[in-house]
Amino acid sequence: MPQLPHIHLQITMSYYVSTSAIKDLLTECPICTEHFDEATRTPRRMPCCVQSICEACLETHSRGRLAISCPMCRHQHNLPGGVKSLPKEPVILRILDNLKIVKGLNLPRTDCTDGNPAMSKCDDCVAFLCQECLNAHKRVKTLRDHHTVSFQEMKEGPSKNFHRVHKCAQHHLPLQFYCNTCDKIVCVSCTVVEHKEGKGHNVVPVDDAHQERAKSIEDTLAKLDQKSEKLLEAEKDLQKRYSGIEESTKVAVVDINTAFDKLMDKIQQRRAIMLSEVEEKSSNLLKLTQEELDSTRTILTKVTSSTEYTRQMRGKADKIEDIQVMESSAATLSAMLELSPKASLGRAGVSFASTCFSKITTFLKMAGLVKSVVFTPIENSNPDDSLNNAITFEHAEVPQAAYMTGLPLGVKGSISCK
């Protein structure tokens, strides 16, 4: 989104910060990626995953329901007071105030009845002051030693020196104490009412509570750093394993295809041989049958033509001529009775016997073996070393067909086909 002119920002964005001003800061909602502000996109801290999400996104996500799942980690929350009951993120709001000063935008006024623009800040009171309030502040005897800083000085100093007013929502007094019993930051009025020590509440100054909890959180963060290192190593190992599985899968696929292509070549060669044998045997049988057929046809032609000729001649001859025909043809006709074709083959043909095919099918069921090696976690007595793994082997199941041959696995043998 193009940046608007600076003058336009001063007029229309008194409670907003330009994109360029916060591009390096964590002031962007992780859901809508819009920048936080104090108007509609107030940063609300999610207690489940230590993330801040703008109020507008949470309202959209909750759809007015009092139960909401965190948009980041899906943890369920019951919010009787709605989204607004989630705490604001004070650090982000403080960064926004500091950026407003740096960019010259209007700032919230503190305890100024006239609503004059703030010009400076009191570090002791943690309050913004207009010029008139600053003058009055310096005239009060008890406040003369307070350290005040002008906005110009704040612009030139580091942002970490910028402080935001933290007041009790109930009594509107500075939050200066911490109740260990209730785990709540309170003001001085709270210590004598709701969090009174006489009622069993353990109240300490904020500085003491901060020191104690800072040590605890630093220890936790240090352990999380160690855990992050282990998780990073685990991530690298898992990524390496993932890549290895992908690569080994490709190799296995190539090996399987190669093995079966070779097997198919052998099968095709065997088929070609058998088809050639069929052609050869069929050709021989057909040749013999054709010779027998030709011989039979020759004799048939001779017999039928001779008998027909004899009958026709006798039909036209008188008795004397008939006797002469019969005497001249009797021997020839009698000889024809002895004529026979070449030796008959009887029934002939070519057939295919699928000898050993059932055993070949059995062997195909166990042709090849796919194996895998699995790394499984084991119980460890050291809870801080939970990422250690033990190497175990998952043996691939041998197909049942392997046992149907009657031969031990791994032992060479021969099978005869009858």
Side-chain angles (χ1 to χ4, degrees):
M1 182 179 70
Q3 186 174 340
L4 299 175
H6 183 66
I7 297 177
H8 185 64
L9 279 173
Q10 289 182 328
I11 298 174
T12 62
M13 299 183 66
S14 60
Y15 292 97
Y16 294 77
V17 181
S18 66
T19 302
S20 60
I22 58 176
K23 62 182 178 181
D24 297 325
L25 297 173
L26 299 178
T27 52
E28 185 179 272
C29 174
I31 304 300
C32 65
T33 68
E34 296 290 339
H35 296 109
F36 293 118
D37 59 64
E38 293 185 77
T40 58
R41 299 196 178 276
T42 305
R44 298 284 179 177
R45 183 191 302 167
M46 301 300 298
C48 49
C49 56
V50 200
Q51 293 282 334
S52 293
I53 301 173
C54 77
E55 187 174 310
C57 284
L58 290 174
E59 292 287 1
T60 301
H61 187 68
S62 66
R63 297 179 182 178
R65 296 188 298 266
L66 300 182
I68 182 177
S69 62
C70 176
M72 302 297 292
C73 67
R74 304 304 179 189
H75 185 83
Q76 293 291 327
H77 295 279
N78 291 321
L79 304 176
V83 170
K84 294 184 182 298
S85 63
L86 290 170
K88 295 181 180 180
E89 179 51 74
V91 177
I92 294 178
L93 294 176
R94 178 175 59 82
I95 293 174
L96 292 174
D97 280 344
N98 181 62
L99 288 173
K100 289 174 185 177
I101 293 174
V102 173
K103 300 300 292 182
L105 304 176
N106 293 334
L107 292 168
R109 266 72 70 181
T110 302
D111 298 333
C112 180
T113 57
D114 296 331
N116 295 325
M119 302 297 294
S120 60
K121 180 178 71 69
C122 176
D123 286 340
D124 296 275
C125 298
V126 193
F128 293 118
L129 305 171
C130 68
Q131 188 60 51
E132 294 181 6
C133 291
L134 175 62
N135 295 334
H137 197 78
K138 293 180 178 180
R139 286 196 297 269
V140 179
K141 185 176 181 180
T142 57
L143 303 178
R144 288 177 182 175
D145 295 331
H146 284 202
H147 182 253
T148 58
V149 185
S150 67
F151 285 174
Q152 185 60 38
E153 294 174 327
M154 292 173 63
K155 291 180 182 179
E156 298 171 358
S159 61
K160 66 179 181 180
N161 294 334
F162 181 84
H163 301 286
R164 186 180 175 89
V165 179
H166 300 290
K167 286 189 175 183
C168 174
Q170 182 178 359
H171 303 105
H172 304 288
L173 294 175
L175 297 172
Q176 299 173 322
F177 300 93
Y178 187 85
C179 179
N180 287 312
T181 306
C182 302
D183 290 330
K184 186 177 181 181
I185 304 174
V186 296
C187 69
V188 64
S189 294
C190 293
T191 63
V192 297
V193 185
E194 296 90 346
H195 302 273
K196 189 175 182 180
E197 292 189 15
K199 295 181 180 180
H201 289 258
N202 178 19
V203 180
V204 297
V206 166
D207 291 343
D208 295 344
H210 177 266
Q211 183 177 359
E212 180 182 351
R213 276 153 181 76
K215 182 180 182 304
S216 175
I217 197 66
E218 287 299 330
D219 292 341
T220 301
L221 291 174
K223 291 179 180 179
L224 288 174
D225 288 338
Q226 295 176 358
K227 188 176 184 67
S228 296
E229 293 178 1
K230 293 180 180 179
L231 289 172
L232 183 59
E233 291 298 323
E235 180 190 24
K236 292 180 180 178
D237 292 340
L238 289 171
Q239 185 60 47
K240 184 177 180 181
R241 183 200 300 178
Y242 192 94
S243 300
I245 292 173
E246 287 185 323
E247 186 62 29
S248 64
T249 300
K250 294 178 182 177
V251 173
V253 170
V254 171
D255 290 344
I256 290 173
N257 286 331
T258 300
F260 277 86
D261 286 343
K262 291 181 178 179
L263 181 60
M264 291 297 296
D265 288 341
K266 295 293 183 182
I267 293 175
Q268 293 290 355
Q269 292 174 12
R270 180 59 180 165
R271 178 167 67 175
I273 291 173
M274 298 185 74
L275 291 174
S276 177
E277 290 179 356
V278 167
E279 185 66 26
E280 181 181 358
K281 293 182 183 299
S282 175
S283 178
N284 291 334
L285 291 175
L286 289 173
K287 180 180 179 181
L288 293 174
T289 302
Q290 186 64 48
E291 291 176 353
E292 185 176 349
L293 180 60
D294 292 342
S295 175
T296 300
R297 287 174 176 171
T298 300
I299 295 173
L300 175 62
T301 301
K302 186 175 183 179
V303 169
T304 55
S305 61
S306 297
T307 54
E308 181 64 24
Y309 179 80
T310 299
R311 285 191 176 94
Q312 287 182 6
M313 289 292 291
R314 290 186 64 207
K316 297 186 180 296
D318 55 23
K319 292 181 179 179
I320 299 298
E321 291 172 340
D322 188 25
I323 291 174
Q324 292 175 342
V325 170
M326 288 188 291
E327 287 180 351
S328 63
S329 61
T332 302
L333 294 174
S334 295
M336 289 183 186
L337 293 175
E338 302 299 328
L339 293 176
S340 62
K342 290 186 177 181
S344 174
L345 296 175
R347 292 187 62 183
V350 180
S351 65
F352 169 69
S354 57
T355 308
C356 294
F357 261 63
S358 61
K359 293 184 178 180
I360 292 175
T361 304
T362 299
F363 275 111
L364 282 175
K365 291 181 180 178
M366 64 177 222
L369 194 63
V370 178
K371 301 180 293 183
S372 62
V373 179
V374 181
F375 297 83
T376 54
I378 60 173
E379 294 183 0
N380 196 315
S381 58
N382 184 1
D384 294 331
D385 200 19
S386 59
L387 293 176
N388 286 342
N389 290 336
I391 301 177
T392 58
F393 293 91
E394 178 187 52
H395 298 283
E397 182 180 355
V398 179
Q400 184 179 2
Y403 301 101
M404 298 173 62
T405 62
L407 296 174
L409 293 177
V411 178
K412 293 182 179 180
S414 63
I415 297 177
S416 61
C417 300
K418 296 181 180 180

